[in-house]
Amino acid sequence: MELTQLKKQLATHEYDERLGDIYGSSSKEINSARERLEALVEWYAEEFGSVEGASNVALYTAPGRTEMGGNHTDHQQGAVLAGSVTLDMVACAAPNGTRTARIMSQGYPEITVDLRDLVPVAGEEGTSQSLVRGIAAAMADRGYAPQGFNAVIYSAVPGGSGLSSSAAYEILIGVILNHLFCTDSLAPAELAQIGQFAENSFFGKPSGLMDQMGSALGGVAHLDFKDPAHPVIHPIPFDMEKTGYALCIIDSGADHADLTDDYTAIRSEMKQVAACFGKDVLREVDPADFWKAIPQLRAATNDRAVLRAMHFFGDH
């Protein structure tokens, strides 16, 4: 829609019901969410509100996620209970008629990505640019033609917080491109797989699929990754607000934003244990065989690898 129309609809509270569904039904929560979006739209208008950037403007969101059950089980083809949170990333975006993505995230320099070049770029690993390029590449591989767009982004998902700000960013960019250039034909699970591909192949982190699925699906879901290409999704219709529960998120001050190597070690050590049984992942190992073989596994691998495997069988 036109930028002026979007501003008017926010000002006249036309999105309040939807905001209540996403952020909570109290007037305080709805007012806070609306004011945040109004500020986002004003920012977009300041940066991109020319004639070229004032049409086909829309608002997008992607939430952070938490593991309610299961941790580091997805990359071993295990199962998890994942839930999205009301701390999210929101964007105001529109096509810009070029092949370049221009993205401004609050607190960070503007990034630009030439979407004519959809292969990994040396030295770009670990950056937001790599994620945007990887997501566009995955969509192009599926027969779509992602084009340039302008976007401004506010994030309430703290980086390195354990809520997977990277997955929220991937899903947010995926939702924008899906709406603008793929006629919204990509389902949430496929957007999650596209985000994982970008993180694995362009960003350089060998993540599983749980983070992206938790963000893309929304709500609470049981996810079984026995077949990673076709995860089994069981939505859990649990309304925390109506039942009097709340998920408390604590800022511990820790930061794992630069722990890609440590994450890789978790995955590789679990696979070392699986290899002792002639298997690729721990999902393929009989739990009874694992528990009986712990003394031999300690000698063949190391105590940390065994402890991580114990964690898998305890959480799976």
Side-chain angles (χ1 to χ4, degrees):
M1 67 180 66
E2 296 293 324
L3 186 59
T4 53
Q5 183 182 1
L6 179 57
K7 287 183 178 183
K8 180 180 179 181
Q9 289 183 342
L10 283 168
T12 55
H13 300 193
E14 292 187 34
Y15 294 121
D16 280 13
E17 183 176 353
R18 180 62 176 140
L19 295 177
D21 292 338
I22 297 172
Y23 298 104
S25 58
S26 74
S27 58
K28 180 179 179 180
E29 289 166 323
I30 293 171
N31 290 337
S32 176
R34 186 191 331 104
E35 290 166 5
R36 180 176 175 231
L37 293 178
E38 287 175 334
L40 183 71
V41 172
E42 286 299 330
W43 183 25
Y44 181 91
E46 292 171 7
E47 300 294 343
F48 302 117
S50 62
V51 174
E52 294 81 4
S55 300
N56 298 319
V57 181
L59 296 169
Y60 304 85
T61 177
R65 69 94 195 98
T66 187
E67 299 135 314
M68 302 176 75
N71 178 267
H72 293 294
T73 53
D74 54 328
H75 53 67
Q76 297 300 301
Q77 297 182 13
V80 300
L81 185 66
S84 62
V85 298
T86 54
L87 297 174
D88 66 348
M89 290 188 183
V90 290
C92 183
N96 60 22
T98 74
R99 295 297 302 276
T100 299
R102 297 182 59 195
I103 302 170
M104 304 186 71
S105 298
Q106 187 180 33
Y108 296 91
E110 178 182 352
I111 67 169
T112 60
V113 182
D114 186 345
L115 298 182
R116 294 171 297 183
D117 185 6
L118 297 181
V119 296
V121 174
E124 198 175 71
E125 300 89 349
T127 67
S128 298
Q129 290 93 317
S130 69
L131 293 175
V132 176
R133 197 182 307 278
I135 291 164
M139 291 181 174
D141 288 344
R142 287 164 169 76
Y144 300 100
Q147 304 291 311
F149 63 95
N150 301 327
V152 294
I153 297 173
Y154 282 164
S155 176
V157 186
S161 64
L163 297 176
S164 198
S165 57
S166 59
Y169 186 84
E170 292 155 19
I171 297 304
L172 184 65
I173 297 300
V175 168
I176 291 170
L177 289 173
N178 187 32
H179 180 70
L180 295 180
F181 308 114
C182 308
T183 64
D184 288 321
S185 58
L186 295 167
E190 192 166 7
L191 288 177
Q193 291 170 326
I194 286 171
Q196 183 199 24
F197 167 80
E199 188 161 316
N200 291 174
S201 302
F202 283 70
F203 187 87
K205 181 178 178 179
S207 68
L209 185 57
M210 187 274 290
D211 292 351
Q212 293 83 2
M213 289 288 282
S215 180
L217 293 172
V220 179
H222 179 267
L223 309 170
D224 190 331
F225 296 103
K226 183 177 182 179
D227 179 359
H230 303 92
V232 178
I233 303 167
H234 296 288
I236 308 296
F238 180 66
D239 190 319
M240 285 193 173
E241 185 178 24
K242 289 182 179 179
T243 53
Y245 286 90
L247 178 66
C248 297
I249 298 168
I250 299 170
D251 184 355
S252 66
D255 188 341
H256 64 229
D258 297 320
L259 296 182
T260 295
D261 291 344
D262 299 86
Y263 178 90
T264 302
I266 296 172
R267 185 169 185 157
S268 64
E269 288 182 353
M270 285 185 171
K271 289 179 74 70
Q272 287 173 23
V273 174
C276 293
F277 296 90
K279 306 296 184 181
D280 290 327
V281 292
L282 290 175
R283 174 67 177 255
E284 299 171 347
V285 177
D286 187 300
D289 291 343
F290 165 76
W291 293 111
K292 285 189 288 188
I294 284 179
Q296 294 80 13
L297 294 171
R298 293 179 66 192
T301 59
N302 58 68
D303 282 354
R304 190 172 73 174
V306 174
L307 285 169
R308 284 173 166 166
M310 292 171 65
H311 165 80
F312 170 84
F313 286 109
D315 263 23
H316 168 55

